[in-house]
Amino acid sequence: MDLVPALEEPLKKVVGPATAKVMAEHLDLHTVGDLLHHYPRRYAERGELTRLADLPLDEHVTVVAQVATARILTFNGGRGQRLEVTITDGSGQLQLVFFGRGIHKPHKDLLPGTRAMFAGKASVFNRKMQLAHPAYELLKGDSDNADEAVDSWAGALIPIYPATAKLESWKIAKSVDAVLPSAQEAVDPLPPGLRDGRELIPLPEALLKIHRPQTKADIESARDRLKWDEAFVLQVALARRRYADAQLPAIARRPRAGGLLEAFDAKLPFTLTEGQEKVSKEIFDDLATEHPMHRLLQGEVGSGKTMVALRAMLAVVDAGGQAAMLAPTEVLAQQHHHSITEMMGDLAEGGMLGGSDQGTKVTLLTGSMGVAGRRQALLDLVTGEAGIVIGTHALIEDKVQFHDLGLVVVDEQHRFGVEQRDALRGKGKQPPHLLVMTATPIPRTVAMTVFGDLETSVLDQLPAGRSPIASHVVPAEDKPHFLARAWERVREEVENGHQAYVVCPRIGDEEDDPKKAKKKAEEEATAEKRPPLAVIEVAEQLARGPLSGLKVEILHGRMQPDDKDAVMRRFAAGETQVLVATTVIEVGVNVPNATAMVIMDADRFGVSQLHQLRGRVGRGSAPGLCLLVTDMPEASPARARLGAVAATLDGFELSRIDLEQRREGDVLGQAQSGVRSSLRMLAVIEDEEIIAEAREEAVTVVSNDPELEHLPELRTALDALLDDEREQYLDKG
């Protein structure tokens, strides 16, 4: 009889269709197993309350606290009523507010001294934190339901689950109770030797203890075990990918004496930094082997990654192959094409009049090229006339054929999935070597997790001649005159012959989409927070107000490619003085004359994104200035984050700060599809040791048994981690 395994049972059979629907839509939980792996975010103790002082803004929070005061206020000439309740937990106070007809029940329930769990979204109103219309569950009182509520929280530790407005933590807890018996049937992926050797508890026991711990020690032992599972299964997947890659054949590419690379090096007007020399050697050693290089090149903004990549490309052309460079956007592809042809000079004019004998042709291929230009580019590739091609995803299309593709350089990896790498790999007679470049510094453990199938090289020296960037936080709400001064600074830079960027989180003009307009109206009605500033509106206000008389233009992702290019050209040529843009300028835009950047609503960007954006100024000989404008109050975590960005230019330091403040899912989510769902317990920064050890164990397991024939449970866990597409990718190798 073929029964569905207990953990694959759909939730609707166990918790009912209504709850199952909310769980699927809002929490991405579909099966009994999914819910068992939806771990409590933290635990409240009966005696001790959560710290209200540390509530994150704009997140759905659950707190356990005691009612201090409750009063009904009237407004609107007595026609409207609202209930204001202050709750306390010893660390701080929080205001709850209920409106309209919904105030009678909470007014009866929430008497001073009552203890309850409250769930809602923390927002700021009148510069104070509050929860509007929170859901609540009483924790003690005379009514039967209160006793029952307390009883359902067996033990002294109350699990607080990641919840949503549609499904409070205590309702999730009740559903977990319903599925907990199935934990006994969880298949344990860890090889028994590894589990016993590290004194880890069995998986069913870990699941029981994480959801219903009796003691803090229960939580610890469960976490240790579950972290190991995640780290190990993920590292096995990566180790298998590395193993499969190592079995592939590739053509060794060695630069030849007296060839293109030597001619290029001889013309360089500067010497390479030590870092560039070291990383180049690592790359050349890889290129000289008979299986494909898979290397990640990390470099600070402006550390000369393009130079290192170009020298690798020239070495491959020397060895008779072709090199392709893939950029995430057309603007970027054109910029790379421009800077590479500029660096190469006459060496980029192979086969043309006036070109060098050793030269090669450098071709650009993007989606919006005209038919004739595209036909010529495709011809150059298939005949081998072009040694170097630079392009966007258009390079991956079926129609594009290479003469002999030897090296693929991918710029800004986090925008390229494994599938695209795979498609390009199929273009060579044999798999080409692969070099991935990223300007987002990635701490070692994240590199081991996200890019665990790549070897890593790091460029951490800035080339001589780059200027420092001064960064300051501008608290527009607390000190409006600071903002006025910011615009004066922009004017001063422009008067000195320089240019400036103003970056906004949103484009604006979304109102033409009725759905969005309705949603926006609803958001504004709740008056929690104004919508993020938009390029179109900010540009108008600046041109009319503080920057009137300057040439201001806008740039954003919804513009036509030709219009975008025209705007960028005018800015690069110095015709436009101020460019108001979205983050389309985040990557690779190079205008050395731009010295100032003002980032509006800076708290709405991530730390590494701010660092990337800031890297667009200070690219010439004049020092750069970056102003981070925010309305957030001084004590908020968002302000602390901005302070950290202003305080250091070290991207690796910032990426650590960034990761410590974000949930791991986000860190990995941007990198590759299937990984995100797998990390629930593992904290990439704190658990550095576990990840490093799991990687070693995984390498041993995979080299002894690449197909995991003797470890069927691990194989099952691996299949669950990798959806079909990724598994297929691994099998293709």
Side-chain angles (χ1 to χ4, degrees), residues 60 62 119-120 134-136 161-173:
H60 193 84
T62 304
Y136 60 87
Y161 287 91
T164 78
K166 299 269 189 302
L167 196 65
E168 294 88 13
S169 170
W170 50 87
K171 291 184 181 159
I172 295 174

Side-chain angles (χ1 to χ4, degrees), residues 64-307:
V64 175
Q66 194 159 4
V67 176
T69 63
R71 56 189 187 144
I72 289 183
L73 303 171
T74 55
F75 57 94
N76 212 351
R79 284 199 297 281
Q81 284 191 319
R82 71 174 184 269
L83 169 66
E84 284 186 5
V85 177
T86 310
I87 57 172
T88 176
D89 68 346
S91 77
Q93 293 195 330
L94 182 64
Q95 185 105 40
L96 313 178
V97 54
F98 300 87
F99 296 102
R101 270 181 245 142
I103 69 175
H104 303 300
K105 185 172 182 334
H107 192 223
K108 199 166 86 237
D109 289 342
L110 301 178
L111 302 169
T114 308
R115 300 191 57 239
M117 292 170 77
F118 300 91
K121 201 167 173 189
S123 58
V124 170
F125 182 72
N126 274 345
R127 311 189 57 95
K128 287 208 341 235
M129 286 273 256
Q130 70 166 27
L131 296 182
H133 277 287
Y136 60 87
E137 176 98 329
L138 301 178
L139 285 178
K140 68 166 189 257
D142 307 328
S143 70
D144 301 344
N145 112 344
D147 289 344
E148 183 190 330
V150 175
D151 291 344
S152 73
W153 306 106
L157 295 159
I158 304 175
I160 308 280
Y161 287 91
T164 78
K166 299 269 189 302
L167 196 65
E168 294 88 13
S169 170
W170 50 87
K171 291 184 181 159
I172 295 174
K174 288 188 174 128
S175 301
V176 169
D177 286 336
V179 299
L180 260 182
S182 309
Q184 292 312 320
E185 299 181 46
V187 178
D188 198 325
L190 292 189
L194 188 155
R195 193 176 65 218
D196 301 342
R198 294 189 177 273
E199 298 185 345
L200 297 166
I201 60 176
L203 183 58
E205 187 185 332
L207 289 170
L208 211 60
K209 285 184 168 168
I210 199 80
H211 288 292
R212 297 293 172 263
Q214 299 296 313
T215 62
K216 288 194 174 166
D218 282 356
I219 302 172
E220 279 314 295
S221 60
R223 278 193 172 149
D224 288 346
R225 166 61 220 244
L226 296 165
K227 281 180 176 185
W228 251 97
D229 269 20
E230 290 177 11
F232 181 70
V233 175
L234 182 57
Q235 290 302 338
V236 167
L238 295 166
R240 287 193 66 213
R241 194 181 296 162
R242 286 196 302 275
Y243 180 85
D245 285 342
Q247 311 309 308
L248 294 172
I251 300 165
R253 312 276 178 176
R254 297 182 184 84
R256 60 191 165 86
L260 190 55
L261 180 63
E262 279 187 15
F264 175 76
D265 283 351
K267 287 177 38 168
L268 277 182
F270 51 81
T271 52
L272 297 175
T273 64
E274 263 171 74
Q276 286 174 321
E277 292 279 11
K278 180 179 105 281
V279 169
S280 291
K281 182 177 178 330
E282 292 171 348
I283 292 171
F284 288 151
D285 289 350
D286 280 1
L287 288 174
T289 58
E290 310 253 312
H291 60 88
M293 161 170 86
H294 284 101
R295 192 166 278 283
L296 173 69
L297 172 57
Q298 288 185 205
E300 267 297 1
V301 180
S303 58
K305 291 183 298 295
T306 312
M307 171 62 71

Side-chain angles (χ1 to χ4, degrees), residues 452-529:
D453 55 334
L454 302 169
E455 300 299 321
T456 308
S457 295
V458 177
L459 270 179
D460 45 14
Q461 280 170 299
L462 287 187
R466 283 298 299 257
S467 307
I469 305 170
S471 307
H472 303 283
V473 178
V474 177
E477 184 85 9
D478 303 349
K479 301 184 173 154
H481 59 284
F482 276 37
L483 185 58
R485 176 75 189 112
W487 301 125
E488 279 171 33
R489 285 291 291 116
V490 170
R491 288 194 90 100
E492 286 164 19
E493 289 297 314
V494 171
E495 279 158 20
N496 291 332
H498 297 303
Q499 292 157 278
Y501 297 100
V502 177
V503 183
C504 304
R506 203 166 61 98
I507 296 174
D509 269 5
E510 275 91 348
E511 277 58 68
D512 45 9
D513 178 341
K515 270 206 191 106
K516 282 190 183 157
K518 178 169 181 283
K519 183 168 181 280
K520 185 165 166 260
E522 282 168 10
E523 278 172 15
E524 286 176 0
T526 57
E528 283 189 7
K529 205 170 176 191

Side-chain angles (χ1 to χ4, degrees), residues 435-450:
L435 179 65
V436 170
M437 302 197 298
T438 173
T440 312
I442 305 166
R444 187 177 130 245
T445 38
V446 183
M448 282 183 350
T449 341
V450 181

Side-chain angles (χ1 to χ4, degrees), residues 320-341:
Q322 288 169 294
M325 185 180 220
L326 226 59
T329 63
E330 297 218 349
V331 172
L332 218 69
Q334 285 160 345
Q335 281 191 342
H336 279 312
H337 183 251
H338 178 75
S339 58
I340 282 174
T341 42

